[in-house]
Amino acid sequence: MTNSADHSWTHAGHGLPDSEPSLNTTAIATGLQLPAGFAAIAGDPELGPAITNNLARVEKKLREAIANSDPLADATSRHLVEAGGKRIRPLLTLLCAHLGDASLPAVVQAAVVVELTHLATLYHDDVMDSAPFRRGAPTAHEVWGNSVAVLTGDLIFARASILVSELGGRALGIQARTFERLCLGQLHETVGPRPDEDPVEHYLSVIADKTGSLVAASGQFGAIFSGADEAYEDVLVEYGEKVGVAFQLADDVIDVTGVKVKSGKSPGTDLREGVPTLPVLLLRKAAADGDQSAVDLLTLIDGDLSSDEALAAAVAGLREHPVTAESWVVARRWADEAIAALAPLPEGVVKDSLSNFAVAVVDRAS
């Protein structure tokens, strides 16, 4: 693997601005906190420091990868990186790498690739959804406009492509197929289900593409670039697909539970923006089946939610309706299937942590 710092692509504007201070991985590692479900990692005397130190390296390389000598490109690219985030996808890459030799340099680079890809999709998603906030900060399109936000997402995708190309043809193929699914998921979400297509099945397919595909690639990269047993790859792909869907379904329910989550997304944001989520899709199905309470609630949800009072009433109504509990059941079923997929992995902290993460995904504070 070659050193990207020596490449001619730096002449296209990549590189640290003159005023950029040196980033210290030790300082970064000290401030890192692992997301819920990964307590077993922190408690392991060998795995804990190894994961934390590699996460710090990922964070440092992320900031180096998006840095740009052009002031505008630098500011827009930094916007979401500096807003924080759980870094779940790179964490999964680093964790799964411990099924092989996690010290290989390509492991960290692969982890950077998946997080850059995720960040790029967020710029695009926020434009598509007209979302005002992301991770507690105004979205890029609110600050710089739609065109700049979309182009920034494209720029970050390009940076991810450069880094993944250094990892070889197989990695590039996985990244390309994942990118294709990300785009198809967004396309299918935008146009909606066909007249003959079940809306819930359509939605599950959308989030499998938009969320599950990249989570799956994250674990697969960890196995590939650590030289782990090839048999583990299919296991991690299936796990990643299912836990990614469970994660998004849980987010759907959290949006209507009435609690502001750490991302800065207020309750009912999806309702106000008309974003299709599982509770609302199940509510529409109940209404079509003759549930009068669902019919009445849909009248409110499909009405004007611009006022805080109307939105609060819609959130409260949906939170109390049985479809919300039903949505939790669906999310937990996907998490259970993700855990079951892990059966072929060797017993140990890696398997336990992946299993615990799947549980934590659907047991988040709601």
Side-chain angles (χ1 to χ4, degrees), residues 78-236:
R78 286 173 178 273
H79 188 65
L80 280 183
V81 170
E82 295 184 346
K86 299 181 182 70
R87 306 291 190 249
I88 285 176
R89 291 155 190 82
L91 177 55
L92 288 174
T93 300
L94 300 177
L95 175 61
C96 293
H98 282 271
L99 293 168
D101 182 358
S103 68
L104 296 176
V107 169
V108 169
Q109 182 146 329
V112 173
V113 167
V114 295
E115 185 66 7
L116 284 175
T117 304
H118 174 57
L119 287 169
T121 65
L122 298 184
Y123 282 85
H124 291 170
D125 284 355
D126 287 341
V127 171
M128 298 289 292
D129 297 340
S130 299
F133 294 99
R134 169 74 67 176
R135 296 174 177 174
T139 48
H141 70 88
E142 290 284 339
V143 179
W144 293 284
N146 286 350
S147 295
V148 170
V150 169
L151 289 168
T152 300
D154 293 345
L155 178 61
I156 295 174
F157 268 130
R159 292 283 160 79
S161 298
I162 291 167
L163 292 179
V164 78
S165 71
E166 297 172 356
L167 295 173
R170 188 172 180 216
L172 191 56
I174 293 170
Q175 172 78 350
R177 286 188 291 274
T178 302
F179 188 22
E180 179 184 44
R181 289 187 62 189
L182 292 169
C183 293
L184 285 172
Q186 185 64 64
L187 175 64
H188 293 154
E189 180 181 70
T190 301
V191 301
R194 300 184 307 272
D196 62 342
E197 189 175 11
D198 178 76
V200 173
E201 291 303 315
H202 171 269
Y203 180 61
L204 291 173
S205 174
V206 163
I207 60 176
D209 285 339
K210 286 189 61 177
T211 305
S213 64
L214 187 55
V215 176
S218 301
Q220 187 179 15
F221 275 169
I224 290 172
F225 293 108
S226 67
D229 190 323
E230 290 184 7
Y232 298 156
E233 289 183 40
D234 289 342
V235 171
L236 295 173

Side-chain angles (χ1 to χ4, degrees), residues 3-359:
N3 184 347
S4 61
D6 297 330
H7 286 188
S8 60
W9 62 283
T10 59
H11 300 315
H14 179 82
L16 297 175
D18 293 339
S19 60
E20 178 67 19
S22 175
L23 296 170
N24 186 295
T25 54
T26 302
I28 296 173
T30 302
L32 286 176
Q33 288 187 333
L34 296 178
F38 293 105
I41 296 175
D44 189 280
E46 294 184 6
L47 194 62
I51 292 283
T52 302
N53 289 333
N54 268 347
L55 268 178
R57 294 184 182 99
V58 168
E59 195 69 25
K60 180 176 185 290
K61 288 181 178 295
L62 269 177
R63 293 168 185 262
E64 291 172 350
I66 55 90
N68 201 298
S69 57
D70 177 273
L72 177 60
D74 188 66
T76 60
S77 298
R78 286 173 178 273
H79 188 65
L80 280 183
V81 170
E82 295 184 346
K86 299 181 182 70
R87 306 291 190 249
I88 285 176
R89 291 155 190 82
L91 177 55
L92 288 174
T93 300
L94 300 177
L95 175 61
C96 293
H98 282 271
L99 293 168
D101 182 358
S103 68
L104 296 176
V107 169
V108 169
Q109 182 146 329
V112 173
V113 167
V114 295
E115 185 66 7
L116 284 175
T117 304
H118 174 57
L119 287 169
T121 65
L122 298 184
Y123 282 85
H124 291 170
D125 284 355
D126 287 341
V127 171
M128 298 289 292
D129 297 340
S130 299
F133 294 99
R134 169 74 67 176
R135 296 174 177 174
T139 48
H141 70 88
E142 290 284 339
V143 179
W144 293 284
N146 286 350
S147 295
V148 170
V150 169
L151 289 168
T152 300
D154 293 345
L155 178 61
I156 295 174
F157 268 130
R159 292 283 160 79
S161 298
I162 291 167
L163 292 179
V164 78
S165 71
E166 297 172 356
L167 295 173
R170 188 172 180 216
L172 191 56
I174 293 170
Q175 172 78 350
R177 286 188 291 274
T178 302
F179 188 22
E180 179 184 44
R181 289 187 62 189
L182 292 169
C183 293
L184 285 172
Q186 185 64 64
L187 175 64
H188 293 154
E189 180 181 70
T190 301
V191 301
R194 300 184 307 272
D196 62 342
E197 189 175 11
D198 178 76
V200 173
E201 291 303 315
H202 171 269
Y203 180 61
L204 291 173
S205 174
V206 163
I207 60 176
D209 285 339
K210 286 189 61 177
T211 305
S213 64
L214 187 55
V215 176
S218 301
Q220 187 179 15
F221 275 169
I224 290 172
F225 293 108
S226 67
D229 190 323
E230 290 184 7
Y232 298 156
E233 289 183 40
D234 289 342
V235 171
L236 295 173
V237 167
E238 182 180 358
Y239 167 83
E241 289 267 351
K242 292 181 182 299
V243 83
V245 171
F247 190 95
Q248 185 57 55
L249 292 176
D251 267 3
D252 286 358
V253 186
I254 288 171
D255 182 66
V256 297
T257 54
V259 176
K260 187 169 182 177
V261 293
K262 290 182 179 179
S263 65
K265 184 179 178 182
S266 298
T269 298
D270 289 339
L271 288 179
R272 176 172 278 168
E273 294 169 1
V275 177
T277 59
L278 185 62
V280 175
L281 292 173
L282 293 178
L283 188 71
R284 295 191 188 283
K285 184 176 184 299
D289 291 342
D291 182 339
Q292 188 57 47
S293 67
V295 173
D296 295 340
L297 183 53
L298 273 178
T299 301
L300 176 60
I301 288 174
D302 290 339
D304 182 3
L305 297 181
S306 57
S307 73
D308 290 342
E309 293 77 13
L311 182 62
V315 167
L318 191 54
R319 181 179 62 238
E320 299 302 323
H321 197 278
V323 294
T324 294
E326 185 181 349
S327 297
W328 273 126
V329 170
V330 175
R332 291 191 173 101
R333 184 166 67 242
W334 279 88
D336 289 342
E337 291 178 3
I339 293 169
L342 297 172
L345 294 187
E347 299 300 323
V349 179
V350 173
K351 184 176 182 178
D352 289 346
S353 296
L354 292 173
S355 180
N356 291 340
F357 172 62
V359 172

